[in-house]
Amino acid sequence: MSVIRVLIAEDMNLLRDALVSLLSFEEDIEVVAELERGDAIVPTAMSTQPDVAVIDIGLPGMDGLTAAAQLHEMLPDCRVLILTSYGRPGELRKSLEVRAAGFVVKDAPAAYLADAIRRVARGERVIDTELAATAIEVGDNPLTPRERAVLVCIAQGASVEDAAAQVHLSPGTVRNYLSTIIAKVGARNRVDAIRIARDYGWI
């Protein structure tokens, strides 16, 4: 029986320990590395040569999707399984863009992760069918990079004036961007636009 070598990158210590403990019961899976930072993924993978990397999207140092893209370039034989707290269509699309082989939400049944690891190690894709259908239905992110930057500032609590300073625009232009964003995403107001954009993984 061949053993699947796995790298786990998750910044929450309790969850990472739980994942390692869970996988230790699987005879055909061996955790060869456990990390809490995204910028440690590629160098660690190069030294440990995992078959599958289970990577959380939200990591300090470097986000999981950027790390996954770099890992695909540096170690293409290592299959990536993205782990996320939310099943957002936008995140799924971004995961596929960086060549991830699977996308698993953290509240999935424990046995599902081990099965997903085995499947991606065999060369299969592991994606929730309902989430995939929603991603197709929602479509691409309608916001331009500048619109996203403006909305992120506002979502972080910045005033129009503060957001204008951060993105190097006039307050009037920022207000115009916000009006355009609200119309594009079909929101009622700024708060609703932020909620919709977050739900779909657009910001």
Side-chain angles (χ1 to χ4, degrees):
M1 176 182 64
S2 60
V3 175
I4 303 168
R5 297 168 58 81
V6 176
L7 175 150
I8 294 179
E10 163 60 56
D11 64 326
M12 295 179 63
N13 293 334
L14 190 60
L15 179 56
R16 188 176 65 253
D17 291 346
L19 292 174
V20 173
S21 177
L22 164 72
L23 295 176
S24 70
F25 291 104
E26 306 295 332
E27 293 183 359
D28 59 338
I29 295 175
E30 177 189 2
V31 177
V32 296
E34 45 182 297
L35 310 169
E36 61 182 15
R37 296 182 58 85
D39 50 8
I41 290 174
V42 171
T44 302
M46 296 300 291
S47 63
T48 58
Q49 296 289 306
D51 301 302
V52 177
V54 179
I55 301 175
D56 182 24
I57 284 184
L59 293 171
M62 179 184 294
D63 71 89
L65 294 177
T66 300
Q70 292 187 3
L71 184 59
H72 178 74
E73 292 295 322
M74 300 298 294
L75 198 64
D77 288 339
C78 178
R79 306 275 285 173
V80 172
L81 190 61
I82 294 294
L83 195 63
T84 180
S85 299
Y86 310 100
R88 293 171 174 161
E91 290 181 345
L92 171 58
R93 283 181 166 275
K94 292 173 186 174
S95 298
L96 295 177
E97 287 171 3
V98 299
R99 310 286 184 85
F103 186 88
V104 176
V105 292
K106 293 181 181 179
D107 64 353
Y112 185 82
L113 177 61
D115 181 60
I117 288 171
R118 293 186 183 99
R119 289 174 61 189
V120 298
R122 291 197 299 264
E124 299 177 25
R125 280 194 181 275
V126 179
I127 298 170
D128 181 87
T129 53
E130 288 188 13
L131 180 58
T134 301
I136 293 170
E137 181 182 327
V138 169
D140 294 328
N141 188 341
L143 304 179
T144 66
R146 182 57 65 88
E147 288 167 350
R148 287 199 298 273
V150 167
L151 193 59
V152 166
C153 288
I154 299 300
Q156 292 173 343
S159 65
V160 168
E161 289 72 20
D162 289 340
Q166 290 180 45
V167 297
H168 309 292
L169 296 171
S170 70
T173 301
V174 167
R175 290 189 184 91
N176 289 338
Y177 270 119
L178 288 171
S179 296
T180 301
I181 291 167
I182 290 168
K184 276 188 175 182
V185 304
R188 298 185 300 276
N189 50 43
R190 295 176 194 174
V191 174
D192 195 34
I194 292 168
R195 178 191 60 78
I196 291 170
R198 281 177 169 165
D199 285 348
Y200 288 142
W202 292 337
I203 62 171

